[in-house]
Amino acid sequence: MAIRPPLKELNIKTHDKGFYKGFNRFVTVTSKILVILVVVWILSDIERSGAMLNAMKNWSYTNLNGYYTYSIAFYILVCLTVILWPSFGRIKLGSDPNGKPEFSNFSWFSMIFGAGIGIGVLTYSAAEPLWHLANNPDLIMSKEVILSSLSTNGIALPAGADVFAFYQDQVAASALAPIDGLVLPRSEEALDTAFRYSFFHWGISAWSTYCLVGICLAFFAYARGLPLTMRSALTPLFGKHLEGPLGHVIDISAVIATIFGISQTIGIGLSSFASGMYSITGITWLVTDTANPEPTTGALLLSLFFVMCLSTASALSGVGRGVKWLSNINMVLSFLLLAFFLIFGASMFALEMLGKGILSYVVHLPAMVFTVWDPSTELGNWQTSWSIFYWAWWIAFAPFVGMFLARISKNRTIREFGLIGIVAPSLTLFVWFSFIGGTGIDLELSGIAGGKIFDSGLTAQLFEIIGFMLNPAMAGILSTMVVVLLLTYLVTSADSALLVVNTLNAAGKVEVENGAKHIIVWGIALTSVIAALILAGGLDAITSAMIVAAIPFSFIIILMAISLLKALILDIARAKGP
């Protein structure tokens, strides 16, 4: 029996006049209403709404940790399958066999990296290895072994005592025999696990999620000629039904996930930006406490207004101008910052951590990807606080990054898209974590920092590292460069998100007659959402909203993966003939 030809036309109705000319009015208006309702709900009772957002986050942590874990594992498996399977990987994401990519490899990678994760890496490359050095699953399991040994030997742990410090005291007093294989916090034994878990969160898991969405969108838009929008990726499953309400709901879910996913990224970036401004200027109102500086609400709101004005202006100039040039600038600045740490940081130590970390990551990746711990345990609490938080973040960020990757990747093959889109950013991030985080760890383990980097807030640790490496004048110059880099990443991420939202609302059209007006509206809407969440609880409230928004879109990505596999398999069957 002959296989029906693939669907190559999807008629998504757009308005033909007025303000919404060129846009699907149902998707656009409904998305705006939902965003407005969220802002009004938060501002109507800031304290109560913040508490409710936190309760929803805790519920998802308790009940959905297994779902998030296995969803990410599924995304990785499907993405690697379509990239590595020979007949799938060589498919070109374009209808013209002689078509050339729109952007050079450097500009393409710069935009992938800048939009995908640039803000987070500046904060977490310094902070995450330091945090995991003090607490990670291996350390927690070592603690459980110590508690079991103490119990077996009839030794009571004093109330409030640190388990590891008490264990070392007991061993030193010969009251307890040393236990082989323990990993102690902030020790050389914990280095392997500190980098392994950092790589786990920022490597293949993140980029497979982004690239899976991007490949789906690019395949159906450029190889099949369907609109560049989320619903198109589900045509093998739902066909023409996607022209109506079902398709509208899918695109609205993508818009909402994009708004809250980018809110999390911008929130992290704003906090780092404000911390950097304090490091440079010493203006005390920027932070709540000069001893342990955390940005004030006023500093975050002022930074937000400044960033969003620049982002909206950049988005108005389009991908080929503002976004492209800003991406190139922040990539150059990123390499300059990384070069500084390569030359003046703990280079040999970092190289050792890079090699050992990658090896440990690859060996343990299958087990880590499929492991789910009981959220009521300490291990489960760590997993929800770190891994599940990241999985929700990557899922909420995926419609934005995936759409943006698809937009800039026409005429590349699936294998090229996937290998460069997964391997290159992952390796770049591993280098960042090793050299910046490794330098911070070396300063602490050598005693130079005296615990000050450990005790700093997450968004201030990079500036603390710079402060210990350089004299005040040089530290000020380098910190200024970091602040400028943060600003360019913030602007690039926000303006790319505005362009993606516009494309979703315009039924996949990149250029729309009234596009500029809608970019301004969505710039105001995104600013309002982030400002409201900052008032409702700062980064915690933003994180809570992002995690809730990620839930519906996580299921849509699963459907997109199944749809892509079905389309590719049927294409092979059609090529073989009856």
Side-chain angles (χ1 to χ4, degrees):
M1 183 172 130
I3 303 172
R4 287 188 302 175
L7 181 64
K8 292 189 176 182
E9 184 178 349
L10 201 62
N11 182 25
I12 306 173
K13 186 177 179 181
T14 55
H15 209 51
D16 57 2
K17 60 182 179 180
F19 181 72
Y20 289 99
K21 183 177 181 180
F23 287 83
N24 182 282
R25 193 158 53 178
F26 185 88
V27 173
T28 307
V29 173
T30 304
S31 299
K32 288 176 182 176
I33 290 173
L34 290 173
V35 169
I36 291 170
L37 288 175
V38 169
V39 173
V40 171
W41 170 64
I42 292 171
L43 295 180
S44 64
D45 191 337
I46 290 175
E47 186 174 341
R48 185 179 179 185
S49 60
M52 288 184 67
L53 284 169
N54 189 59
M56 286 188 282
K57 177 187 73 174
N58 291 335
W59 178 88
S60 67
Y61 277 169
T62 301
N63 296 281
L64 299 178
N65 61 331
Y67 170 73
Y68 275 126
T69 299
Y70 295 131
S71 293
I72 291 290
F74 177 70
Y75 303 156
I76 293 172
L77 290 174
V78 174
C79 195
L80 294 180
T81 298
V82 299
I83 292 168
L84 300 177
W85 197 274
S87 54
F88 296 163
R90 57 175 171 260
I91 292 173
K92 190 171 186 178
L93 301 171
S95 56
D96 183 1
N98 300 313
K100 301 295 182 183
E102 182 180 357
F103 302 101
S104 68
N105 287 336
F106 180 79
S107 292
W108 185 50
F109 177 71
S110 297
M111 287 190 280
I112 289 174
F113 191 78
I117 220 71
I119 293 172
V121 72
L122 283 175
T123 298
Y124 285 95
S125 62
E128 188 158 350
L130 286 159
W131 284 61
H132 292 331
L133 194 69
N135 188 37
N136 66 59
D138 289 52
L139 289 166
I140 294 169
M141 286 185 277
S142 291
K143 184 192 295 185
E144 292 174 352
V145 170
I146 292 171
L147 290 172
S148 177
S149 179
L150 291 174
S151 177
T152 300
N153 287 277
I155 302 173
L157 179 71
D162 179 81
V163 174
F164 292 104
F166 184 73
Y167 160 76
Q168 290 174 306
D169 290 341
Q170 294 299 304
V171 171
S174 300
L176 188 68
I179 303 171
D180 293 332
L182 286 183
V183 180
L184 302 179
R186 296 181 178 178
S187 67
E188 292 188 5
E189 293 84 3
L191 288 170
D192 174 72
T193 53
F195 285 94
R196 181 203 309 161
Y197 286 106
S198 298
F199 294 175
F200 174 50
H201 292 144
W202 292 81
I204 292 175
S205 303
W207 293 96
S208 291
T209 305
Y210 300 155
C211 284
L212 177 59
V213 174
I215 290 169
C216 286
L217 293 171
F219 174 79
F220 288 102
Y222 303 138
R224 289 280 172 84
L226 294 169
L228 181 60
T229 188
M230 290 297 160
R231 71 179 80 188
S232 295
L234 299 180
T235 50
L237 300 180
F238 302 109
K240 288 283 189 177
H241 294 293
L242 293 166
E243 293 178 348
L246 176 61
H248 299 341
V249 169
I250 290 165
D251 284 345
I252 290 167
S253 297
V255 170
I256 299 303
T258 297
I259 292 295
F260 288 101
I262 196 63
S263 295
Q264 173 68 32
T265 302
I266 292 175
I268 291 286
L270 291 174
S271 185
S272 297
F273 181 77
S275 295
M277 291 301 297
Y278 169 72
S279 177
I280 294 167
T281 64
I283 298 174
T284 55
W285 67 264
L286 291 171
V287 295
T288 56
D289 181 5
T290 55
N292 186 18
E294 291 290 338
T296 61
T297 299
L300 291 174
L301 291 175
L302 182 62
S303 301
L304 172 65
F305 178 77
F306 178 60
V307 165
M308 290 309 301
C309 286
L310 293 178
S311 300
T312 304
S314 177
L316 290 171
S317 69
V319 173
R321 298 178 61 188
V323 178
K324 174 184 173 181
W325 286 108
L326 276 174
S327 295
N328 288 343
I329 290 169
N330 61 35
M331 186 55 63
V332 170
L333 290 176
S334 296
F335 280 124
L336 287 175
L337 178 63
L338 185 58
F340 169 81
F341 279 93
L342 289 171
I343 298 169
F344 299 106
S347 302
M348 295 308 296
F349 174 77
L351 282 172
E352 181 183 356
M353 292 303 100
L354 176 63
K356 289 183 176 179
I358 290 176
L359 178 61
S360 178
Y361 168 63
V362 172
V363 170
H364 291 89
L365 180 61
M368 292 191 294
V369 164
F370 289 101
T371 296
V372 178
W373 283 301
D374 183 346
S376 64
T377 65
E378 190 173 355
L379 281 168
N381 182 60
W382 182 92
Q383 185 176 41
T384 54
S385 299
W386 285 99
S387 301
I388 304 305
F389 157 72
Y390 278 125
W391 303 164
W393 189 2
W394 305 154
I395 289 167
F397 216 40
F400 153 54
V401 180
M403 175 72 79
F404 187 71
L405 295 185
R407 166 67 182 84
I408 63 175
S409 301
K410 187 176 181 179
N411 291 322
R412 297 185 182 272
T413 66
I414 287 178
R415 183 168 296 114
E416 182 184 14
F417 188 129
L419 290 179
I420 294 179
I422 294 175
V423 176
S426 294
L427 289 177
T428 303
L429 285 163
F430 296 167
V431 171
W432 274 80
F433 276 79
S434 299
F435 279 85
I436 298 180
T439 297
I441 288 174
D442 186 65
L443 288 168
E444 285 289 9
L445 294 183
S446 64
I448 296 173
K452 192 170 182 182
I453 299 174
F454 278 138
D455 296 337
S456 297
L458 185 144
T459 58
Q461 286 177 309
L462 174 58
F463 299 103
E464 289 290 347
I465 293 171
I466 292 171
F468 278 104
M469 293 177 67
L470 300 170
N471 62 50
M474 293 302 296
I477 293 172
L478 189 61
S479 294
T480 300
M481 189 181 86
V482 173
V483 169
V484 172
L485 181 56
L486 274 167
L487 180 61
T488 60
Y489 272 134
L490 280 163
V491 172
T492 303
S493 296
D495 63 14
S496 302
L498 294 177
L499 291 170
V500 165
V501 168
N502 242 23
T503 301
L504 288 167
N505 290 330
K509 298 184 184 70
V510 177
E511 300 291 339
V512 191
E513 184 176 329
N514 287 332
K517 297 176 183 177
H518 287 267
I519 284 173
I520 294 171
V521 171
W522 278 109
I524 295 170
L526 179 57
T527 304
S528 301
V529 169
I530 299 172
L533 290 169
I534 288 172
L535 292 171
L539 287 179
D540 287 341
I542 293 174
T543 298
S544 300
M546 176 271 296
I547 289 171
V548 173
I551 295 171
F553 196 75
S554 64
F555 183 65
I556 292 174
I557 299 178
I558 293 173
L559 293 177
M560 290 172 72
I562 296 170
S563 178
L564 178 64
L565 289 173
K566 180 180 178 181
L568 294 175
I569 292 169
L570 288 178
D571 278 357
I572 292 175
R574 290 187 190 99
K576 290 180 178 179

